[in-house]
């Protein structure tokens, strides 16, 4: 069955006509803030405001969990149109999400989590993503649309003494709805402008007295927001389909086995950038963007205003992202005090891209693609014991990942003029760089095993001490083999080698090609044991007032560079740059969690301070020899700040919420950071040591000036994080009747704001993204049978930027822009049965 046919079937299955005669559920579903009750329960004002989470691998009231955690129910996600992790950031102020495409996706919490600006298979994420206890190692494999979600818990701070994979910044814990032994189902259809269409359907019920199943599917389709004038089509579209199934087998009253499987496909026309701006660099003037464009008479970008949402990229575009997997979850309640849990899972990821990495309509690079396949296997075993005045969790975790990337980079007929010095006669000969081809074989075998434990000891009925420990072993074996070939001056194809004396090394054409890219081979390896630990203290000041404090010593495992490394004077890869050291994290946190007004109101406040030594960052320096970008360690980074969350439900007729965060995340010491665009491209001054060089750096943007091999970024902000971020909203409802049915008329509003932030690994005057706010509205009528509402997102059509980056070469002065969504609007129909 073709994808188009499958999507059509799912949209039809979710259409209102199919379930027009369906039986209603038992109660209407109220929608509230991120502290809302779970679907199907009474509103908070009536049930005491208790929200149960499993953030610490056991059920407990979120107000008694001594860590910073945000909880969003499935009902809230549906009401606000939050159907993927990207949109979750509007509800969680300290969560940041950036995506050029699924593979080049980064998730940070409090400004830390993943190196910004470089995708590399050889490092770990600092933010763990779990769906039904299964760890998703690649962020690209977690960019699926949510379906049948019960709740999402976002935990801030290091996690590892309770979670399968060690993470230093936090974890996103997604729980889907379990199979039910009562027949139930729901269907949902949304339509909107930009040809937006989305359908969701879920059915659950018994197969026998001890077997129950749940089947869910979702499909999303939307026209692109960026128009390509060269091809006459809209790009940056949404085109995804996902199915998920689970089978619950109650083997006996104390033993449950749940088998789950899912398959997801995203295949949009994507991804490209529009022209953002021009910022002078230190390249000579005849090699900067205005001069380069002038070498191609008749060429001009379709618009210099990024908010016109126009581009003219000429290379093929593709972002096919397929992923799925199987899991088995066994829960054995040995007795009233002991429980054994086992989670076995396999996941795969198949990434098939096509990109235009020169961001122009000129054939500079015709291909820069890295198709990737991954297989991931995980096994987690947890033992929980509930004792008299204490409870204990012990766990074992095993992880193995195999990644194979077959990359290709190819230059076109415009490459000679664009990439070579125009004072050279070779720049006027398209044949010199045309069809310079790099075929990359990149491999990673990654194994991790760990043992962890957490104790909660009730010293008194008010004071609880919770120490935890983790022992971890990681082993990475990699291979990077890039074979570059080009046409020599005699018309033969030759390997472009960086090794002096190699065949055709002195050929002028080959020498020019070597300046763009040369062959390289190395096999990096890393292995290490690590220990981490934490201590949580919680004191119940009064019935609904808890204070807590946390110290955690965590780590993020070391990594290997799998995007190439600098070469020495003899052309050999410098293996000292092939591995990166583990991050060492000292994390302090203190907070207060309160409820008052008969638990109608909740207010939580958290302060945090995180120091990271050997922070894994993107660098570009000349301390080893050739200037090249790769992963390395910044000496020290700090993230500190505070977070506040408030929600109130004075009655079943009204609820509101507000969350805010101040985050001061900066490089404490980073003396060999990559130069920003305004200081790059000139004559590179010679490095005299790890963080020293000789000569005088020219003023920023000085054409033909002197550029540093690196800069001291100490004291500057980390990329991707706003100092201030807020989210807020409210909903009011009134009882009434529509279509002869009794229910609730309601209106809701949700807003978010973030201040300006740096979109470059080292802060640049050209890539500082301005702050912005987004405002969303919804209004409708709901009963136990149906929910009918209209919505408008980015209601005031705010122009904003998702991402800015320096164009090809990083020093031509071209700044490419990824523009955020314009105003969108539409309607949704939900049916329950």
């Amino acid at each position: 069955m073709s994808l188009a046919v499958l999507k059509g079937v799912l949209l039809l299955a979710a259409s209102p006509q199919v379930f027009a005669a369906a039986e209603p559920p038992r109660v209407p579903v109220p929608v509230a803030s991120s502290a809302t009750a779970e679907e199907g329960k009474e509103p908070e004002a009536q049930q005491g405001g208790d929200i149960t989470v499993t953030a610490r691998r056991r059920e407990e009231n979120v107000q008694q969990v001594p860590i910073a955690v945000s909880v969003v129910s499935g009902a809230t996600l549906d009401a606000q149109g939050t159907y993927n992790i990207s949109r979750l950031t509007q509800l969680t102020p300290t969560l940041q999400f950036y995506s050029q495409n699924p593979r080049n996706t980064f998730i940070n919490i409090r400004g830390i989590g993943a190196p910004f600006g470089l995708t590399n298979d050889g490092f770990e994420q600092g933010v763990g993503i779990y769906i039904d206890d299964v760890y998703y190692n690649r962020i690209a494999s977690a960019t699926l649309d949510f379906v049948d979600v019960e709740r999402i818990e976002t935990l801030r701070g290091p996690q590892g003494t309770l979670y399968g994979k060690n993470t230093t910044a936090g974890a996103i814990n997604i729980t889907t709805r379990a199979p039910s032994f009562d027949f139930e189902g729901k269907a949902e259809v949304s339509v909107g402008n930009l040809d937006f269409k989305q359908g969701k359907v879920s059915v659950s019920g018994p197969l026998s007295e001890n077997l129950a199943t749940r089947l869910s599917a979702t499909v999303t389709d939307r026209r692109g927001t960026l128009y390509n004038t060269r091809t006459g089509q809209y790009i940056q579209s949404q085109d995804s389909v996902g199915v998920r199934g689970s089978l619950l087998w109650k083997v006996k009253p104390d033993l449950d086995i749940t088998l789950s499987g899912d398959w997801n496909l995203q295949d949009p026309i994507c991804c490209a950038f529009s022209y953002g701006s021009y910022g002078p660099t230190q390249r000579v003037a005849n090699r900067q963007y205005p001069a380069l464009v002038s070498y191609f008479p008749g060429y001009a970008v379709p618009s210099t205003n990024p908010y016109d949402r126009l581009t003219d990229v000429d290379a093929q575009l593709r972002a096919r992202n397929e992923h799925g997997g199987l899991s088995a979850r066994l829960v054995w309640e040995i007795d009233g005090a002991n429980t054994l849990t086992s989670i076995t899972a396999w996941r795969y990821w198949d990434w098939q891209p096509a990109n235009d990495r020169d961001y122009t309509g000129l054939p500079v690079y015709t291909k820069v693609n890295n198709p990737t396949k991954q297989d991931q296997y995980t096994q987690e075993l947890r033992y929980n014991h509930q004792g008299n005045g204490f409870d204990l969790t012990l766990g074992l975790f095993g992880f193995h990942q195999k990644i194979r990337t077959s990359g290709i980079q190819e230059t076109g007929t415009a490459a000679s003029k664009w990439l070579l010095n125009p004072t050279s006669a070779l720049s006027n000969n398209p044949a010199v760089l045309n069809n310079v081809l790099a075929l990359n074989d990149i491999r990673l075998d990654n194994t991790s095993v760990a043992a962890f434990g957490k104790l909660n000891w009730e010293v008194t009925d008010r004071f609880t001490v919770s120490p935890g420990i983790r022992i971890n072993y990681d082993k990475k074996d990699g291979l990077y083999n890039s074979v570059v070939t080009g046409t020599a001056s005699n018309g033969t194809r030759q390997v472009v080698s960086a090794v002096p004396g190699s065949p055709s090394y002195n050929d002028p054409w080959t020498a020019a090609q070597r300046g763009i890219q040369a062959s390289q081979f190395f096999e990096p390896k890393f292995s290490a044991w690590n220990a981490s630990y934490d201590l949580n203290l919680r004191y119940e000041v009064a019935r609904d007032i808890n204070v807590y404090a946390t110290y955690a010593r965590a780590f993020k495992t070391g990594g290997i560079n799998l995007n190439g490394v600098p070469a020495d004077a003899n052309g050999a890869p410098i293996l000292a740059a092939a591995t990166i050291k583990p991050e060492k994290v000292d994390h302090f946190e203190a907070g207060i969690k309160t409820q008052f007004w008969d638990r109608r109101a909740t207010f939580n406040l958290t302060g945090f301070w995180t120091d990271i030594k050997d922070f894994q960052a993107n660098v570009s320096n000349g301390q080893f020899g050739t200037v090249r970008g790769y992963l390395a360690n910044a000496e020290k980074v700090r993230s500190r700040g505070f977070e506040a969350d408030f929600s109130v439900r004075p009655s079943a007729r009204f609820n509101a919420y507000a969350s805010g965060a101040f985050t001061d995340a900066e490089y404490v010491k980073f003396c060999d950071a990559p130069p920003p665009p305004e200081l790059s491209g000139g004559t590179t001054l010679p490095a005299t040591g790890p963080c020293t060089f000789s000569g005088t750096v020219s003023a920023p943007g000085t054409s033909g000036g002197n550029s540093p091999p690196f800069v001291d970024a100490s004291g500057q902000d980390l990329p991707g994080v706003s100092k201030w971020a807020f989210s807020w909203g409210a909903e009011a409802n009134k009882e009434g009747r529509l279509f002869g049915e009794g229910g609730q008329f309601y209106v809701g509003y949700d807003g978010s704001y973030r201040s300006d932030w740096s979109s470059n690994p080292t802060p640049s005057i050209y890539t500082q993204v301005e702050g912005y706010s987004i405002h969303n509205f919804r209004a409708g009528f709901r009963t136990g049978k149906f929910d009918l509402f209209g919505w408008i997102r980015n209601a005031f059509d705010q122009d904003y930027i998702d991402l800015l980056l320096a164009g090809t070469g990083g020093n031509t002065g071209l700044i490419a822009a990824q523009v955020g969504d314009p105003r969108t609007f539409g309607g949704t129909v939900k049916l329950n049965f």
Side-chain angles (χ1 to χ4, degrees), residues 185-228:
K186 63 179 182 176
E188 174 184 329
V189 170
S190 299
V191 295
N193 66 325
L194 303 180
D195 298 328
F196 176 75
K197 300 178 289 292
Q198 186 175 70
K200 297 180 181 180
V201 62
S202 176
V203 179
S204 184
L207 299 179
S208 68
E209 63 179 11
N210 60 354
L211 286 176
T213 187
R214 180 177 290 274
L215 298 175
S216 308
T218 179
V219 57
T220 303
D221 188 85
R222 194 185 77 175
R223 194 203 75 190
T225 55
L226 186 64
Y227 185 73
N228 189 347

Side-chain angles (χ1 to χ4, degrees), residues 47-183:
Q47 66 159 353
D50 291 337
I51 301 173
T52 300
V53 298
T54 56
R56 298 198 298 168
R57 299 312 195 195
R58 61 192 179 97
E59 292 189 354
E60 54 189 335
N61 186 336
V62 68
Q63 288 299 107
Q64 296 178 352
V65 178
I67 57 177
V69 54
S70 299
V71 186
V72 183
S73 73
T76 299
L77 295 171
D78 292 342
Q80 298 186 12
T82 303
Y83 55 85
N84 55 35
I85 291 178
S86 173
R87 294 183 176 232
L88 187 62
T89 59
Q90 294 185 22
L91 296 174
T92 309
T94 50
L95 179 68
Q96 298 94 33
F97 178 94
Y98 310 99
S99 180
Q100 298 180 38
N101 56 46
R103 186 174 191 267
N104 291 275
T105 296
F106 311 94
I107 297 181
N108 289 335
I109 293 177
R110 296 170 173 171
I112 54 179
F116 194 88
L118 181 68
T119 296
N120 192 314
D121 291 332
F123 74 91
E124 303 285 340
Q125 300 288 335
V127 177
I129 296 179
Y130 297 82
I131 300 180
D132 293 333
D133 284 352
V134 176
Y135 174 68
Y136 284 50
N137 186 65
R138 297 297 304 190
I139 297 298
S141 67
T143 55
L144 70 168
D145 288 352
F146 299 148
V147 58
D148 235 3
V149 170
E150 180 177 305
R151 66 179 180 273
I152 298 179
E153 304 160 8
T154 302
L155 292 77
R156 282 101 73 182
Q159 310 296 323
T161 60
L162 280 167
Y163 277 75
K165 195 76 169 68
N166 189 62
T167 54
T168 54
I172 299 173
N173 187 27
I174 301 173
T175 302
T176 66
R177 294 185 177 92
S180 170
F181 280 91
D182 295 321
F183 181 77

Side-chain angles (χ1 to χ4, degrees), residues 673-696:
E678 60 268 26
L679 290 178
S680 65
T683 301
T684 303
L685 298 172
T688 57
C691 287
T692 60
F693 58 88
S694 62
T696 302

Side-chain angles (χ1 to χ4, degrees), residues 359-506:
Y359 309 116
T360 72
L362 299 169
V364 181
Y365 287 99
T366 56
K367 294 179 182 178
V368 186
N369 309 330
N370 286 288
T372 301
K373 294 182 182 293
Q374 172 197 271
D375 281 289
Q376 170 193 306
Y377 304 88
T378 56
Q379 173 62 56
E380 184 168 354
L381 190 65
R382 290 197 307 269
Y383 167 73
N384 293 79
H385 174 73
Q386 181 68 51
N388 184 17
F390 74 95
D391 63 76
L392 175 69
T393 298
L394 299 175
L396 297 173
F397 179 75
F399 166 86
H400 180 71
Q401 174 191 42
K402 182 174 72 173
I403 298 180
R404 299 293 183 262
T405 300
S406 303
I408 183 171
Q409 176 174 298
E410 184 177 34
T411 51
T413 55
S416 295
K417 280 186 177 293
W418 192 273
L419 301 174
L420 298 181
N421 193 325
T423 60
S424 168
L426 296 180
S427 68
N428 292 316
N429 186 345
V432 176
L433 292 187
N434 185 39
N435 197 31
V436 174
L437 186 67
L439 297 178
N440 304 323
D441 181 9
I442 304 172
R443 306 179 189 180
L444 172 68
D445 290 284
N446 181 10
T447 301
S448 177
V449 294
F452 54 87
K454 186 76 169 180
L455 171 68
N456 295 301
W457 174 31
E458 298 177 359
V459 181
T460 70
D461 59 352
R462 291 180 178 268
F463 182 49
T464 302
V465 177
S466 304
I469 190 170
R470 179 187 184 92
I471 306 297
N472 208 94
Y473 174 74
D474 293 281
K475 184 176 187 294
K476 292 182 171 69
D477 293 308
L479 178 145
Y480 179 84
N481 184 20
S482 178
V483 179
V484 183
T485 57
T487 303
S489 59
N490 61 7
T492 63
R493 295 288 292 180
Q494 298 289 338
V495 173
V496 180
S497 174
V499 179
S502 59
S504 298
Y505 184 84
N506 295 320

Side-chain angles (χ1 to χ4, degrees), residues 1-8:
M1 181 183 294
S2 69
L3 176 59
V5 172
L6 178 58
K7 288 168 59 178

